[in-house]
Amino acid sequence: MLVLECETSHTVSTKWFHNNKEVSGMDHRVVIQEGRTHKLVIKKSTLNDAGSYKCTVKNQKTESNVIVKETKPEFIRKLQDYEVTERECAILEVEVSSDTADVVWKKEGQPIATTDEKFKLEKDGGVRKLIIRSTSIHDEGEYTCALPDDQCSAEVTVVELPPEIITKMVDQTVTKGEKAMFEIELTKGDALVRWFKDGKELQFSEHIQLSIDGKRQKLKIYNTEMEDAGVYSCQVGNQKSSAKLTVKQPPLRFIREPPDPTMAPLDSDATFVVELNRSDVEVEWLRRGRIIEDSAKYTILSDKAVKKLIVHNVRHEDEVEYSCRVEDLITTSKLKVEVIETPPKLFLDDDKKVYKIKNGENITFTVKYTGTPTPQQQWYANETLVLPNRRFQPTIDEENVTLTIRRVEPEDGGKYTIKLRNSSGEASADLTLIVLDVPSKPGTPELVEVTDTSITLHWKAPESDGNTPITNYIIEYHDRETSRWTKTTETITSTTHKITTVETSKEYTFRVTAVNEVGPSKPSDESDYFLIVTPTAKEAPTILESLKNVSIGLKQELRLSCVITGNPKPEITWFKDGKVIKSRMITYENHVAKYVISETTDTTSGIYTVKAHNMMGTAETSCEVVVQEKPTLRVDESLVDQMLRVDEQWKVILKFTGYPQPDITWKRNGKVMTSTKHTYYYSDESSTTIVIYTLERDDTATYTVIAENSAGSAERELKLRVVDDLIPKEKIAEESTAFDKPSPPEGPMLIKDIEKQSATISWNPPLDDGGLEITKYLIEKYEIASMTWTKVADVEKTVTSYTVQDLQTNAEYMFRVYAQNAIGKSEPLESKTVSIKSTLKVPSPPRAPLEVSGMTATSFTIKWQPSSSDGGSPIIEYIVEMKEANRRVYRKLGSTKGSVTNFAVNYLETGLGYNFKITAKNAVGLSEPFIPDDTITAGSRLRVKYEFSINDETLYCLLGIFPPTKLHTPTPPSCPLNLRVTETTSKSATIVWETPESDGGAEITSYVIEKKLEYMPSWERVATIGSSRLQYTFENLREKTEYVFRVFAENSIGLSQPATTNTVHLRRHATVPSPPTAPLEIRTIGPNAIVIAWGIPESDGGAPLEGYNIAIKDTKKTMWMEVGRVAVPIQKFTIRDLQEDHEYLIRIFARNEIGLSDPLESDEPFKVLPSTDADAEEFKEVTDREPTSYSTTTTSWLRENNMDADIYSYARGRLLQRNEYFFKIWCYADELFK
């Protein structure tokens, strides 16, 4: 303390100044006056008190200069131990001897950062305070306040509060089968929570699980059942929270519906199957709307949620609609008798290949066939297409194809070919029609010999026998004196005949008529007149009919004959190859020389000559006889096409005929074979045999046997396919030399159902699968214009037809198909060039919805959706018809051109309802009409708003003098722009759009979202959202279903026209993803901390990946604990505060909207080793940049001054099985857990 004192001569008031600034005496400096003595007392002087002091009175003053020497600050009041209740503030306070001295606060020897919001430092004169906000158990410890040369310390003790529930449970309502979850948040993450249902403590299982994430605990009930409903509660100490779980029955729906149509082969059973999401309901089955009862025809089965209707022995009359109805749900499927496509096959017996009919009669060819669908028929007569007319009438039914020819003419005879063709193939067969007619006229009779009592005549046989053997010749004659013809009565079968009924010395003329089973021919030309007198002149032999060359088979009768005249009767000699023939079978009667060989042999062939000789001369005639037969081959048809296994035996025997004996040749895939030890073939006199005793894969081939001689040749193909038993893929690499790529698919490739932008191709499986099962077919197309092959699709091994889409009209294409097995793909089967041209049809009807805009009292505008198909020809116009709601007859209003789909309707009566009918028209004709159900009332939505300012002109307007200068009529907005689908999954779809181009003069207030199944006519409103949102996600859609979505913009006037998406195909058969891929990398990054990393799954399961779940398990415990989740594309995670010397297993699950994959699990436990300072630095660096981490322990649970950290055993009874608990050892444990 410093006292400055002065004395005045009188008792007066004085003023004190410090550095020329008046001292008030109100701070630590006090002014005292005692009579004439004046004092300035400076308490607790500081360095600031140094300087010049003066005391003044009137015009006098006295001065003094004060020097203050600095002293070291000291604690006047030191820290005291402090006890505080958790979450309250703790205030540590000291007082020092210097107001300006600074102190340093420390906790456990470490300075406290002034930037830490947990702490607040205050300075008031010599008092220094440390305020610890919202204390927790972590704030306990020794706190120190330090001056440069002194310090003091105190222990802060935090009295821990019992745990409390911050966020309580909330009532839940879920649908049966869904997951229910109750969540609480505690003040402490280590609190012991007990869970109850209806007052009974819960036992956790796969159905009911508890998830602990720090201070949050979640009770999860998976696949809820009705019995899960009730009151759930949890208890922490004396605190409780409860909530009610309500489980509702799910809305009834079909999980599985019968396909439409339902296919069943003829005379088999058709089964309709539906599956509901509930099993506690019964269904009704209906046929054309009438309830079906259980009977011999119908069987109704129910197996929980699966319901079946079996229609027995289906016929074509059963092809109607069948429905399943339950409550307000109904599903319908039409039964169609399945057409199993098979190529046509004709069945023609040998005895029905030749038809004989008399000229002028009717004939019907009838050929049995099989083939589905019913093939198209074409008949050819002598290679010329037969067109149906009155005489030629082709027909076809389910079993037979026929051709009827009325009033057959001779020109109709010949070869007839029937060709059948359907989508699976074609077949043909040949028939022969022989038109039986009378023979043509024989040749003119010629004189062979005449005597006084007889005449012998010869004539040439008719050129045509009328296609049936001549049975008789009739000889007619008359003399010169009469004109009446006389007929012979005997049966004449040869062309030489002796007539004995003539008279001597008369002249006769003769004619001959040939007769067959049809009738007599026209008579031959008349002969000259012959005189019946024995001639006296001698005549050398003359050949009237020569020998004819003959080709004949073995063991047949051979007749050689010629007609020879001469006088005297010539001597006849037969020769073969120049050698005289002597045989009893040689005759010369009636001037006919004959030689008959009863049975031909291999020596019969040769040159045969007849020589006739008399005294007048010699004549001869020769012919060549060839004995030969065209080869034939016969084999058991069951051996023609075989599929055998490796190591089996293949043996085929073929019988052959033919003379000379045919030469036998074997070919393999078109190349001549040689017999080997492996493939052995041999031939004898009447058969040829091929044998492979031990088949190998390489023996798959087409084997051809050819029999050939001078008369011709015959051949048969044998197809052999050698296959292995199915072998697992893992063995293929080991035995790859035993397998090969398949052969190309079998042709021909058929192309059918050619439409405007598509064509359907079909093929047959390859003959050789390479010894391994075919895995798929690869399809490619080739556009002739671009000259490039492009891939179309890969299809399953069971598929042998495919519809190629997105083709260009009027373009030419080729297609090719590869077969593929585990070794590779085959050579391709290629099609012929095909031109894509559509078949024009009428368009489909215009489509809903019918939208109305621009409503006034007497007019409005309607708009509809264009036809989904123009039938292959552009739509010319839409025809609009209208009727009043109470009338029946529509009247035409007009039409729109081209693609215009709106129409203004005027001159209507206000308040009257109208209905409309709209028809599309193209070059082919009119579509079916679109008749909306809605009745539109004129003026029902009239909203007109006049806006104008008040001025002279508008006042005149109000008086009716002239109209307002400004008239504004708001309208609905234009439709939203650029509506598109951005993402689809198996059960959801997201759409986005842009604001309309025009708001119609009124602010857009909202957007209306609607959806519908693609095949349904009606729309379902889904949501109305604010105008600021330009995106919407449809949830809980049906898998494997096609949807259409649309969006309206809305203002105060009404709705815009909708913006509509194309058909949206939801991804089918989405499942959980495959597990994350190995390796699971684990790396220590710091004290008790690791970072893990993994690879993305091979498959997302058909739905986008959402993220990954991470779980760990201490090997000393039995339960896995989820420690975190990350979103894609993150593939690593940091886990902290693991316990040293403990071993952990780690699992990573991939997650999509369907659920969690199987886990990727660490191969062996990972041991946490003691950490080092270097680890700590790396840990700080990593954890500063890692966004996700999880701590499994709390290091503040142990207090070293109260118990040793190596005490880790504790016993407690009545714990829940397979649950994890957290414990603390605390000095006030009895009180805390009371």
Side-chain angles (χ1 to χ4, degrees), residues 61 123 167 178 260 306 341 358 822 931 1057 1073 1080 1225 1230:
K61 63 178 179 180
K123 181 177 179 182
T167 304
E178 294 181 345
D260 190 18
V306 178
E341 294 192 359
K358 292 181 179 180
I931 306 177
Q1057 296 296 322
L1080 175 57
I1225 307 300
D1230 290 340

Side-chain angles (χ1 to χ4, degrees), residues 841-843 870 873 876-877 919-928:
K841 303 176 183 177
V842 298
D870 63 6
S873 175
I876 300 171
E877 62 180 359
T919 310
K921 180 181 180 181
N922 67 1
V924 179
L926 297 175
S927 72
E928 292 293 323

Side-chain angles (χ1 to χ4, degrees), residues 8 10-15 17 55-61:
T8 60
H10 299 88
T11 301
V12 293
S13 296
T14 61
K15 290 184 180 180
F17 292 87
C55 180
T56 65
V57 56
K58 293 183 180 183
N59 294 325
Q60 297 185 32
K61 63 178 179 180

Side-chain angles (χ1 to χ4, degrees), residues 1056-1074:
S1056 71
Q1057 296 296 322
T1060 306
T1061 67
N1062 294 326
T1063 301
V1064 179
H1065 305 268
L1066 296 187
R1067 295 184 183 179
R1068 301 184 175 187
H1069 306 300
T1071 61
V1072 297
S1074 59

Side-chain angles (χ1 to χ4, degrees), residues 1055-1159:
L1055 294 175
S1056 71
Q1057 296 296 322
T1060 306
T1061 67
N1062 294 326
T1063 301
V1064 179
H1065 305 268
L1066 296 187
R1067 295 184 183 179
R1068 301 184 175 187
H1069 306 300
T1071 61
V1072 297
S1074 59
T1077 53
L1080 175 57
E1081 298 180 0
I1082 305 173
R1083 182 168 60 93
T1084 300
I1085 60 167
N1088 308 338
I1090 61 173
V1091 64
I1092 57 175
W1094 58 90
I1096 62 173
E1098 293 181 355
S1099 168
D1100 62 6
L1105 285 178
E1106 295 178 351
Y1108 302 92
N1109 292 23
I1110 299 92
I1112 68 169
K1113 183 171 82 74
D1114 192 322
T1115 55
K1116 297 179 180 179
K1117 302 178 183 179
T1118 59
M1119 189 173 182
W1120 288 88
M1121 174 184 289
E1122 181 179 303
V1123 296
R1125 299 182 181 187
V1126 294
V1128 291
I1130 298 172
Q1131 290 167 235
K1132 62 181 178 179
F1133 188 79
T1134 303
I1135 306 175
R1136 294 180 289 182
D1137 295 331
L1138 299 172
Q1139 297 187 36
E1140 291 183 1
D1141 295 325
H1142 281 233
E1143 292 184 336
Y1144 293 90
L1145 291 171
I1146 300 171
R1147 283 179 176 174
I1148 313 296
F1149 300 82
R1151 181 177 74 253
N1152 65 7
E1153 66 172 18
I1154 303 302
L1156 297 178
S1157 70
D1158 291 335

